[in-house]
Amino acid sequence: MRSHLLLLILFAFFVSLVFAAIAKDDVREQIRYGGAMFAGFVVSAIVLGWLMYPFPL
Amino acid sequence: MRATAAEESQSGNLVLLCLASWAIPGAGHLWLGRRNKGLVFLVALPLMFAVGLSLRGRLFPFDFSDPLVLLEALADFGMGATYFLSKALGYGAGDVRAVTYEYGNAFLVVAGLLNLLVVIDAYDIALGRK
């Protein structure tokens, strides 16, 4: 797998899963917390990616 | 003030619990009866570590002359038995030419650090803080 986006999504999934399991005890809260964290990871990465787009390497 | 036998026994159990939790991700939670959490850690963390290895990430050596390499080695070491098993099987040599090398390192390092957080969580549960 070489897709940056897919690797980012996989990374965000694992980290969100473990953090949700550590931070919350109730399954519903875990899903809500983990989902919010996962979405935060992915959306912020995409936004930051687009913000960096105009800058040359 | 000297610790009583019960307190010493409890602190011995805590050390054993933390060691088990470090060596096998989720073992501490399973020990404490938190089965669902323990199973999540037992599956997710070694899988994340394995993804890191499959992306040709490197298990860094304990090189005291390079602080960043040393920190990465400590983070990798956080995976416990999985780290030693991977080393013994010859994985984790790393291929710096691979496109996925840095991604692999990120997966390996973060898996180790997350396992250390899991150890702290198990410790807190054992002390009744959670």
Side-chain angles (χ1 to χ4, degrees), chain B residues 3-71:
Chain B
T4 63
E7 283 170 342
E8 282 180 2
S9 166
Q10 193 196 10
S11 69
N13 276 344
L14 277 174
V15 171
L16 205 58
L17 175 87
C18 289
L19 279 175
S21 189
W22 167 74
I24 303 165
H29 287 78
L30 291 171
W31 183 341
L32 295 168
R34 307 283 176 111
R35 209 182 71 182
N36 292 342
K37 284 190 178 194
L39 289 175
V40 166
F41 301 139
L42 187 63
V43 173
L45 290 173
L47 191 60
M48 188 176 185
F49 197 76
V51 170
L53 291 176
S54 74
L55 294 172
R56 300 190 187 178
R58 182 182 182 200
L59 292 174
F60 286 89
F62 283 90
D63 181 0
F64 289 87
S65 65
D66 190 337
L68 289 179
V69 169
L70 181 65
L71 286 173

Side-chain angles (χ1 to χ4, degrees), chain B residues 76-87:
Chain B
D76 291 339
F77 190 68
M79 268 307 286
T82 317
Y83 170 84
F84 292 108
L85 189 67
S86 306
K87 280 266 189 191

